[in-house]
């Protein structure tokens, strides 16, 4: 079970590291977007610091997510980005592939948070 957990966390982390690096180097082709998605993307790129910030959060969160000692922090760092990815896929791009991938990634992130709930108790109390 420990190996499966590590592999899931590694794949999750590499997905976000890849997405973060792509925001800086644009090496992956962008999928065809609808007019509404183009408007949203244009608004995000007009705010010059937003996409680099999301890229840095994805890279740092992904790196933290790989290691068991820092996985709890990485899961919390990636959670807002993951929520955005999930909501984007549900409301703006309701394709079966996008929603399926977003749900799987969200479940892995929530599982990591629940798996490390003891580490968060000092923050709550």
């Amino acid at each position: 079970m420990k190996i499966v957990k590590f592999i899931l966390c590694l794949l999750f982390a590499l997905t976000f590291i890849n997405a973060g690096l792509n925001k800086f180097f644009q090496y992956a082709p962008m999928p065809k977007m609808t007019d509404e998605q183009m408007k949203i993307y244009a608004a995000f790129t007009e705010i010059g610091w937003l996409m680099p910030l999301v890229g840095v959060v994805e890279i740092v969160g992904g790196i933290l997510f790989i290691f068991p000692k820092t996985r709890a922090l990485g899961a919390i760092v990636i959670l807002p980005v993951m929520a955005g990815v999930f909501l984007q896929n549900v409301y703006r791009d309701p394709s079966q592939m996008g929603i399926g991938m977003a749900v799987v990634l969200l479940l892995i992130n929530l599982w990591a948070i629940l798996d490390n709930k003891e580490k968060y108790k000092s923050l709550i109390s």
Side-chain angles (χ1 to χ4, degrees):
M1 184 64 179
K2 198 172 190 179
I3 294 173
V4 172
K5 182 179 178 180
F6 176 75
I7 291 171
L8 276 177
C9 291
L10 181 64
L11 290 174
F12 180 89
L14 291 176
T15 301
F16 276 94
I17 292 169
N18 180 50
L21 289 173
N22 190 44
K23 289 189 178 43
F24 292 104
F25 302 115
Q26 288 94 27
Y27 53 83
M30 286 191 62
K32 186 168 171 55
M33 293 191 279
T34 64
D35 290 336
E36 187 177 356
Q37 289 173 324
M38 288 296 288
K39 289 178 190 174
I40 293 168
Y41 184 74
F44 284 163
T45 53
E46 188 156 330
I47 305 170
W49 54 266
L50 185 61
M51 294 308 269
L53 175 66
V54 172
V56 167
V57 168
E58 288 175 339
I59 293 167
V60 170
I63 291 170
L64 291 171
F65 206 88
I66 293 173
F67 305 105
K69 280 189 171 185
T70 59
R71 190 167 294 143
L73 179 59
I76 293 296
V77 167
I78 288 181
L79 186 62
V81 175
M82 188 63 246
V85 168
F86 177 74
L87 292 173
Q88 170 70 18
N89 279 289
V90 169
Y91 291 109
R92 302 281 184 231
D93 186 24
S95 68
Q96 296 292 355
M97 182 65 174
I99 291 175
M101 186 69 167
V103 167
V104 168
L105 290 174
L106 182 64
L107 289 175
I108 292 171
N109 196 10
L110 292 175
W111 167 69
I113 289 172
L114 290 174
D115 193 43
N116 291 296
K117 66 183 175 201
E118 294 298 320
K119 294 181 180 179
Y120 304 125
K121 286 196 176 183
S122 62
L123 296 173
I124 297 171
S125 54

